[in-house]
Amino acid sequence: MNNKVFLNNKICNIEEAKISIFDRGFLFSDGVYELIPFFNKKPFLFEEHYKRLENSLKMLDLDNPYSKDEWLDKIKMLLNYCEYDNFSLYIQITRGEPLSYNDGIFREHAAIKKYKTSVSMFFSKINDLSESFIRCETAITLEDKRWMQCDIKSISLLYNSYAKTLASKKGAYEAILFRNGVLTEGCSSNVFIVKNKKIITPKLSNLILHGITRSYIINEIIKKNKFEIVIEDINEEDLFSSDEVFITNSTQGVLPIIKINNKKINKGTCGEISKKLHQLYLKKIN
Ligand code: PDD
């Protein structure tokens, strides 16, 4: 049952979902994506994810192919085939392939033709997050060598995937990125540190993805539970001398990082504040 995907208005089996090699997503990474978590079969923060998708499209001058109601219908159509309780819905929109090949030109950098927008969606299982058991992970640090528009959720994730593969080869889960000595984010997460009970995270800018979980944790968990939050630059020394480090994203929630570059953060165990935020987050999604 769980092998259906959505491709350009059709539900099809994974093996049947094919796109043109002239799709600009394939040739130039000319597209955007969004990843919406569902817990107990219900979307979590759908409006926020939808708004970010609209923003990403706008920033790349891509048309939204559907109205919001149409999106909801199509998502429902696909999710009829989903048997998981907790899963992520992946949505990808690319500029697509040219409407016509009559001019004999099959690839050109400038997007100056008319194209058939391509939309694909699929769902993936999210492993259950548990209140009593908190997973802790390790990370490495790397120079942030991505382009300067990391606030667009673009499908161009070459550096993110390269860096995360490098982390994985070193036995770590995430690569935490620094640009000119200042922490930006993880390859697939936003980063927070805790120092003397103060929770610190970098400011929003074009250099990081405006994480939906980041905002939710700050506004609905940290502030409402009277923890102290400070939005400011973090350098390498701050990171390594912090009491706790945790990362956030839609599929992992709050994930403590206990070792970075093989160096323990504090005692190298899961910190109390991270644990509390993790538990408070799970209460909200269940
Ligand atoms: N990525 N920063 C980057 C670079 C990310 O790729 C992600 C999430 C985040 C966190 O964003 P959010 O809280 O909205 O999930 C931050 C998703 C999970 C992915 O690409 O699979």
Side-chain angles (χ1 to χ4, degrees):
M1 270 286 260
N2 283 322
N3 60 353
K4 301 284 189 200
V5 301
F6 174 98
L7 179 60
N8 296 331
N9 265 332
K10 289 199 194 91
I11 300 292
C12 42
N13 290 326
I14 288 172
E15 314 79 57
E16 293 157 3
K18 302 264 170 26
I19 59 148
S20 163
I21 63 162
F22 300 117
D23 188 295
R24 288 186 59 90
F26 183 66
L27 291 177
F28 299 110
S29 298
D30 191 353
V32 299
Y33 77 106
E34 194 51 60
L35 189 136
I36 307 173
F38 283 63
F39 299 110
N40 299 317
K41 295 199 184 290
K42 288 195 212 79
F44 187 62
L45 306 174
F46 180 87
E47 294 303 321
E48 288 81 351
H49 283 279
Y50 185 74
K51 207 165 142 209
R52 186 171 65 185
L53 179 64
E54 286 189 311
N55 255 343
S56 298
L57 287 166
K58 209 155 113 202
M59 285 162 100
L60 290 186
D61 196 22
L62 280 162
D63 290 332
N64 188 342
Y66 307 132
S67 68
K68 192 165 161 202
D69 284 346
E70 285 170 333
W71 273 112
L72 291 170
D73 281 350
K74 289 170 204 302
I75 291 171
K76 213 165 137 195
M77 191 162 102
L78 173 66
L79 295 184
N80 277 333
Y81 295 91
C82 180
E83 288 174 339
Y84 305 129
D85 290 330
N86 300 325
F87 57 92
S88 60
L89 173 71
Y90 178 86
I91 302 176
Q92 176 164 311
I93 304 167
T94 67
R95 205 176 300 273
E97 64 171 315
L99 280 182
S100 150
Y101 295 103
N102 287 345
D103 59 3
I105 296 167
F106 292 98
R107 176 180 177 271
E108 63 190 321
H109 289 70
I112 49 176
K113 292 185 176 167
K114 291 214 177 323
Y115 302 90
K116 276 184 251 174
T117 310
S118 170
V119 178
S120 52
M121 293 195 275
F122 56 84
F123 47 83
S124 307
K125 191 173 178 210
I126 295 183
N127 286 327
D128 285 351
L129 304 168
S130 144
E131 270 182 61
S132 48
F133 172 74
I134 180 159
R135 195 178 123 207
C136 295
E137 285 292 354
T138 62
I140 60 167
T141 58
L142 279 179
E143 184 63 28
D144 192 342
K145 294 186 179 172
R146 300 173 299 167
W147 74 332
M148 306 285 275
Q149 272 317 157
C150 301
D151 50 337
I152 303 176
K153 206 160 168 61
S154 136
I155 60 170
S156 177
L157 291 175
L158 185 56
Y159 191 73
N160 304 57
S161 62
Y162 161 81
K164 203 144 171 166
T165 306
L166 208 65
S168 186
K169 283 185 178 155
K170 294 188 172 181
Y173 172 77
E174 180 59 298
I176 295 176
L177 306 175
F178 281 84
R179 200 184 281 270
N180 303 323
V182 178
L183 195 156
T184 52
E185 61 181 339
C187 290
S188 62
S189 61
N190 293 111
V191 179
F192 293 72
I193 65 170
V194 182
K195 184 81 186 169
N196 300 327
K197 299 208 159 45
K198 238 194 301 179
I199 305 169
I200 307 167
T201 197
K203 66 176 179 298
L204 293 180
S205 73
N206 56 312
L207 300 180
I208 69 170
L209 184 77
H210 298 190
I212 305 296
T213 322
R214 173 193 179 279
S215 290
Y216 187 80
I217 296 284
I218 293 174
N219 296 315
E220 299 302 318
I221 310 254
I222 295 179
K223 288 187 180 166
K224 294 218 166 134
N225 289 281
K226 307 269 181 278
F227 289 102
E228 192 183 349
I229 176 81
V230 178
I231 310 286
E232 67 182 19
D233 285 351
I234 297 170
N235 62 31
E236 284 221 26
E237 198 194 318
D238 300 327
L239 179 70
F240 284 101
S241 66
S242 59
D243 301 327
E244 302 179 31
V245 175
F246 65 90
I247 58 175
T248 63
N249 73 22
S250 294
T251 53
Q252 307 299 325
V254 175
L255 184 63
I257 298 293
I258 53 173
K259 242 188 203 180
I260 302 175
N261 296 347
N262 275 325
K263 288 187 207 109
K264 284 182 189 166
I265 298 300
N266 199 353
K267 297 193 183 81
T269 54
C270 177
E272 283 311 308
I273 291 184
S274 310
K275 207 183 286 173
K276 189 76 199 152
L277 297 177
H278 166 80
Q279 286 163 346
L280 289 166
Y281 177 74
L282 290 187
K283 281 213 173 80
K284 294 280 192 184
I285 63 172
N286 281 312

